Amino acid sequence: MAKKTASAYHILVKTEKEASALKEKLKKGANFQQLAKQNSLCPSRKKGGDLGEFSQGDMVKQFDDVVFKKPILEVHGPVKTKFGFHLIKTVYRS
């Protein structure tokens, strides 16, 4: 059976407080890619947080669980991983 794939954007920050504050800005209509470029600690910030397409199991479990189990096109988080706190928006999955 082929592995499931997905595409997602994320914003990675150091603290849960920071992630929550950014999520509030998103709820008020802020642009996800713009916030990623300004705030994310991940190199993907150059592309507005775009992680491109990846397979299930490529990311850490906490991240994977959100991308492959939660509703798409919604912002989920803060999600804690060993890298920090993420806001995750899944674009599609197969």
Side-chain angles (χ1 to χ4, degrees):
M1 198 176 128
K3 266 193 169 176
K4 290 181 181 174
T5 58
S7 176
Y9 286 81
H10 83 136
I11 299 172
L12 172 65
V13 291
K14 279 194 177 89
T15 67
E16 189 169 6
K17 189 177 170 186
E18 237 178 315
S20 296
L22 290 173
K23 192 169 186 180
E24 281 307 308
K25 286 184 181 178
L26 289 167
K27 281 182 188 160
K28 292 178 178 138
N31 180 287
F32 194 97
Q33 277 116 315
Q34 205 58 51
L35 284 184
K37 282 180 180 165
Q38 293 163 349
N39 301 279
S40 188
L41 302 172
C42 179
S44 69
R45 72 171 180 263
K46 292 187 195 86
K47 296 182 286 182
D50 187 359
L51 293 168
E53 189 174 280
F54 51 90
S55 296
Q56 195 166 14
D58 286 354
M59 303 292 181
V60 292
K61 185 181 185 328
Q62 300 93 326
F63 197 94
D64 236 33
D65 284 350
V66 170
V67 172
F68 289 98
K69 295 176 183 168
K70 301 270 190 193
I72 62 169
L73 301 176
E74 285 179 23
V75 177
H76 300 285
V79 177
K80 188 182 193 308
T81 70
K82 63 184 177 188
F83 303 107
F85 291 87
H86 306 259
L87 293 178
I88 306 167
K89 183 179 183 178
T90 306
V91 187
Y92 68 82
R93 64 177 166 242
S94 62

